[in-house]
Amino acid sequence: MYFLLLFFGVLAGMTTVLFGFGGGFVAVPVLYSVLLATYGPDSVVGHAAMHVAVATSTCMMIFGAGLATLRHHRAGAVPWGQVRPLLGYIAAGAMLGATAALASSGDWVRWAFIVYLGLTILDSLLRPGFIQETRSRIRPLGKRATAGAGVTIGAIAAFLGVGGSVMTVPLMRRRGASMSTATAAANPLSLPMALVGSATYAALAWNAAPLGAWHAGYIDLRACLVLVAGSWLGIRAASRWIGKIPDSLHAKAYIALLCIVLAVMLAV
């Protein structure tokens, strides 16, 4: 189990740096599948598998998004002027999203994850402004749009445990950002969601289910540590490619990875 999680932790770290995923799109389906295979769907852990996967993924992103942010910042790739206004609103939305996830069934969260992925893929393919390369300046959001977008991003990301990339990358792409800039912005925007979401999953679910030792609420601490170790290795390996992937290829690879994750979640 843990060797498998370590391997996918490396993959999560690489996608965090290159696509701003925060690791959630890799960690959630993998951990969900591993928990069901290890404990069985009728066990206590099996019944809570989706909640555990989402909560553990959210906690892992504190490390992954934090380290990836540092790497992008050192490379001069983070558009802080666009990022800072969204941070507080994303934190507020994350508390709402994590609380809503705890009140929902695991199956409902899983299907919400699948539907959202599908809509994002279709939107990226069909609406102009994502795949084609852009070289214009980033157009800032207004105050109301910033508040609305921030709360929505934080709520959905914490509810699904996937970070904000699936919303922030298309948003910034259509505001005129290159893929390199959009993915660099996704990591710092995932940090407030990861911090607030993890605290909420730990505090509100502390006595929700008898999951045993090494659990803080729904967060599986051992799985989280293994995923973090793998994520560190993946981030180190992928950092050399920051800003070096052709824009159109970067955009197409982003969509292709979303399709792979969707297929995995439909199969389990």
Side-chain angles (χ1 to χ4, degrees), residues 153-223:
I153 289 167
I156 295 175
F159 186 87
L160 302 177
V162 296
S165 168
V166 74
M167 288 155 285
T168 57
V169 170
L171 172 67
M172 296 202 66
R173 185 72 168 158
R174 295 194 177 92
R175 303 302 296 179
S178 67
M179 277 299 295
S180 179
T181 300
T183 54
N187 285 299
L189 290 174
S190 292
L191 268 175
M193 183 285 299
L195 289 164
V196 174
S198 295
T200 304
Y201 280 122
L204 297 186
W206 197 270
N207 297 314
L211 298 177
W214 290 95
H215 284 81
Y218 278 123
I219 299 172
D220 186 327
L221 297 176
R222 284 180 294 194

Side-chain angles (χ1 to χ4, degrees), residues 7-260:
F7 170 79
F8 280 101
V10 172
L11 183 59
M14 296 180 74
T15 61
T16 296
V17 168
L18 299 178
F19 300 100
F21 280 176
F25 280 114
V26 177
V28 170
V30 169
L31 188 53
Y32 176 73
S33 302
V34 166
L35 290 172
L36 289 181
T38 302
Y39 296 99
D42 295 325
S43 66
V44 173
V45 175
H47 284 298
M50 193 61 193
H51 284 111
V52 172
V54 168
T56 304
S57 167
T58 301
C59 187
M60 179 199 70
M61 278 187 278
I62 296 174
F63 172 84
L67 182 56
T69 296
L70 179 61
R71 297 275 176 163
H72 281 289
H73 175 69
R74 287 176 175 173
V78 181
W80 286 110
Q82 307 297 319
V83 168
R84 289 191 185 96
L86 287 164
L87 294 174
Y89 294 114
I90 287 177
M95 185 176 295
L96 297 174
T99 302
L102 292 173
S104 305
S105 70
D107 284 340
W108 204 96
V109 174
R110 174 174 172 266
W111 280 106
F113 188 102
I114 289 170
V115 170
Y116 192 84
L117 266 179
L119 291 175
T120 300
I121 292 167
L122 289 174
D123 182 67
S124 298
L125 289 172
L126 300 177
R127 187 150 50 126
F130 189 87
I131 293 179
Q132 63 266 39
E133 186 173 3
T134 176
R135 294 185 181 275
S136 62
R137 295 181 61 184
I138 303 176
R139 301 183 299 278
L141 292 168
K143 290 185 178 180
R144 290 185 179 179
T146 297
V151 171
T152 301
I153 289 167
I156 295 175
F159 186 87
L160 302 177
V162 296
S165 168
V166 74
M167 288 155 285
T168 57
V169 170
L171 172 67
M172 296 202 66
R173 185 72 168 158
R174 295 194 177 92
R175 303 302 296 179
S178 67
M179 277 299 295
S180 179
T181 300
T183 54
N187 285 299
L189 290 174
S190 292
L191 268 175
M193 183 285 299
L195 289 164
V196 174
S198 295
T200 304
Y201 280 122
L204 297 186
W206 197 270
N207 297 314
L211 298 177
W214 290 95
H215 284 81
Y218 278 123
I219 299 172
D220 186 327
L221 297 176
R222 284 180 294 194
C224 184
L225 288 172
V226 174
L227 287 167
V228 162
S231 180
W232 177 75
L233 294 172
I235 289 171
R236 283 180 59 89
S239 292
R240 69 189 72 180
W241 295 315
I242 291 176
K244 296 180 180 179
I245 303 175
D247 191 85
S248 60
L249 176 61
H250 204 167
K252 292 173 183 176
Y254 182 93
I255 296 173
L257 283 172
L258 292 184
C259 291
I260 292 171

